[in-house]
Amino acid sequence: MHKVTVCRKAHFNAAHRLYNPEWSDDQNSEVFGKCSNPHYHGHNYDLIVKVSGYPDPQTGYVVDMKKLKDIIHEEVTSRFDHKNLNLDTEEFRRVNPTAENIAVVIWNLIRDQIDQELDLKVILFETERNFVEYPA
Amino acid sequence: MHKVTVCRKAHFNAAHRLYNPEWSDDQNSEVFGKCSNPHYHGHNYDLIVKVSGYPDPQTGYVVDMKKLKDIIHEEVTSRFDHKNLNLDTEEFRRVNPTAENIAVVIWNLIRDQIDQELDLKVILFETERNFVEYPA
Amino acid sequence: MHKVTVCRKAHFNAAHRLYNPEWSDDQNSEVFGKCSNPHYHGHNYDLIVKVSGYPDPQTGYVVDMKKLKDIIHEEVTSRFDHKNLNLDTEEFRRVNPTAENIAVVIWNLIRDQIDQELDLKVILFETERNFVEYPA
Amino acid sequence: MHKVTVCRKAHFNAAHRLYNPEWSDDQNSEVFGKCSNPHYHGHNYDLIVKVSGYPDPQTGYVVDMKKLKDIIHEEVTSRFDHKNLNLDTEEFRRVNPTAENIAVVIWNLIRDQIDQELDLKVILFETERNFVEYPA
Amino acid sequence: MHKVTVCRKAHFNAAHRLYNPEWSDDQNSEVFGKCSNPHYHGHNYDLIVKVSGYPDPQTGYVVDMKKLKDIIHEEVTSRFDHKNLNLDTEEFRRVNPTAENIAVVIWNLIRDQIDQELDLKVILFETERNFVEYPA
Amino acid sequence: MHKVTVCRKAHFNAAHRLYNPEWSDDQNSEVFGKCSNPHYHGHNYDLIVKVSGYPDPQTGYVVDMKKLKDIIHEEVTSRFDHKNLNLDTEEFRRVNPTAENIAVVIWNLIRDQIDQELDLKVILFETERNFVEYPA
């Protein structure tokens, strides 16, 4: 018997801009292009959280999806949905909200809430065409 | 022979907030909830433009999709993509950017560029679960 | 200015079987095939509810999506989700739960909750490949 | 009671080129661009067939989906799947296989197989971004 | 040259309930909630079967998709489609049909039919938002 | 900190046939079936390119998606879109254009354009139901 991975999808809508405060506006504009628009733009973020382990023989569950759903809601959706990531959140005040960094932040937020014996991975879709996985 | 409808899909990413400037902040918050967040939130907008008419017997085209694609790019995508609809656009300075109003604005922008004998309809997805059609 | 249509997507998971109690088992089996399995089978039903009217000039809304979402939850999802349509619901005790009939039942349930000046239409997906619209 | 629309999705993969034999190669290339590549290109065509009418009170069916599926297979899929539309089919020997024309041809092929009291409409996706509806 | 993975998607519709026969009804209800409804509910299950190996230099195939399609039909779809997993199948008479357990059962059914030099993995979608992978 | 994977989706439409020139027509037909139609058929190919590495602390990027998009366009889309893979491309003159072989060819084309410290993987969808990953 191998481990099984359980996956749960969620989503949130947020505004952001890509911006490195140590750079000039010109440098930000050159590197990040229209993604650095000072008035922000936004996305429908789709999130997949993947948890791997051995199913409990009593329940047949690796993890109770209902509990995983609640953890995602508490740690991610309620924190980021309908927010401006740069202005409204602690997590991205000093961290540039690229898809890569958002995925790492989300992984860290969820990691503490999941049994340490279970493996964790997140996939974050910024658009249908751009998405990231963490860890690789 | 009946008319045929030709449909073209496009997308853009934008920030917005719902806000009626004639109302108090409390009233805006009460009516629009988290959609009225003063720091904005955002969406991946998917747009479907539908044009109906009789195919040209020479080309078999109701409308050349390549030209329709260019019209959508010029009138919609280049105008709204990676923008803050409330702050960066003329169209929504005094118009509340609900999905309904965005669809009407887009329809008007495209209507002038399409042969008047052709019928026009737009579908705008704010999220996968919320979308509007104009005209109904 | 024309009417605008506002659309909201929801889903529920249910078991059902197709069955006409006035027919013999053989006749049911002949007409409905494996869809008449006496032990039931099931679907992830996707539902799109479409409401058409003129946007309110104060809000820019035809209908408040949050209220529409609540109506769908109360009238449809909470009633049918994780249920056996034939055994657990009043609506399908004497009505064969074909996609056609489920769509008509859902339309009637929602119709009373929506302002009579607004037009209503529902689309019900039984699978990605089989779906119905009511009214046509 | 209104009419109900029953929809069935199918797909086929085919090669084609856009080409008007009354034109020079240059004119074909100018109008149809890379879609006129003499060696052909191809698509995964998705087809939705929509049939509208009143459900039979005995079955709850407007039309038996299993029969509709068979009609689509016989008239469309078996005829066009894994074919070169320009070279391998009677229908497009003299008809330019634009999405518009393919939709009209499919509608005519199916129309004869469906009860004349029932309304018929087809939607043909050439790509996820380009699709047509007939009748409009 | 590395191994290549070939993936094939299929689907089936089934009813099920989550239930541990060693527990009281109350305990089942407490742990499995509405998923334990005694009258069953159901899903459109989407299945992806992934087979990894080196392409045959003569065919360019890791595995013939047509044969893989037939194996999936014989071992999975014809066994579970339009069935009640708890009542109509040998496999889940004593195994709780959680997504985790269904994925493991399917993997075992297919494993015997695939060349032992090829790696096998399955992904099972219970809904668009809940899915599992085996092995992890 | 682990590596992050950045994914970018693209697509192209092409014609092809499966064919081994060292075999007789009968043998080709027996092995490849309708995929060996001498007049070709075609597909909308969807491509996902995955690049893994450590985000740059200055940009928060593993790789600039805009540059990745340009590489995919230059190396893949502009080369294969609206082409007959067997006749119009150098890459498949002597290589049978199975999904497996197309994925390997694309991986080799992109590999040279990506920093050698970054890992590369491609997923190629021939249809929604048939797709391959390289490396496995």
Side-chain angles (χ1 to χ4, degrees), chain A residues 5-9 48-50 65, chain E residues 129-133:
Chain A
T5 299
V6 169
C7 310
R8 174 76 196 171
K9 197 176 172 187
I48 295 173
V49 175
K50 303 175 119 181
M65 285 272 197
Chain E
R129 294 179 174 269
N130 290 359
F131 57 102
V132 300
E133 305 179 352

Side-chain angles (χ1 to χ4, degrees), chain E residues 73-105:
Chain E
H73 179 72
E74 224 165 294
E75 295 298 332
V76 184
T77 311
S78 70
R79 201 184 294 256
F80 298 142
D81 188 36
H82 281 75
K83 296 289 172 61
N84 182 308
L85 297 180
N86 305 68
L87 299 182
D88 295 331
T89 76
E90 274 310 311
E91 288 76 11
F92 298 104
R93 264 184 218 282
R94 276 172 222 85
V95 172
N96 194 11
T98 59
E100 290 91 326
N101 284 340
I102 301 174
V104 173
V105 161

Side-chain angles (χ1 to χ4, degrees), chain B residues 78-102:
Chain B
S78 70
R79 201 184 293 258
F80 297 143
D81 189 34
H82 281 75
K83 295 289 171 60
N84 181 310
L85 297 180
N86 306 67
L87 299 181
D88 295 331
T89 76
E90 274 310 310
E91 288 76 11
F92 298 104
R93 265 185 218 282
R94 275 171 222 86
V95 172
N96 193 11
T98 58
E100 289 91 328
N101 285 340
I102 301 174

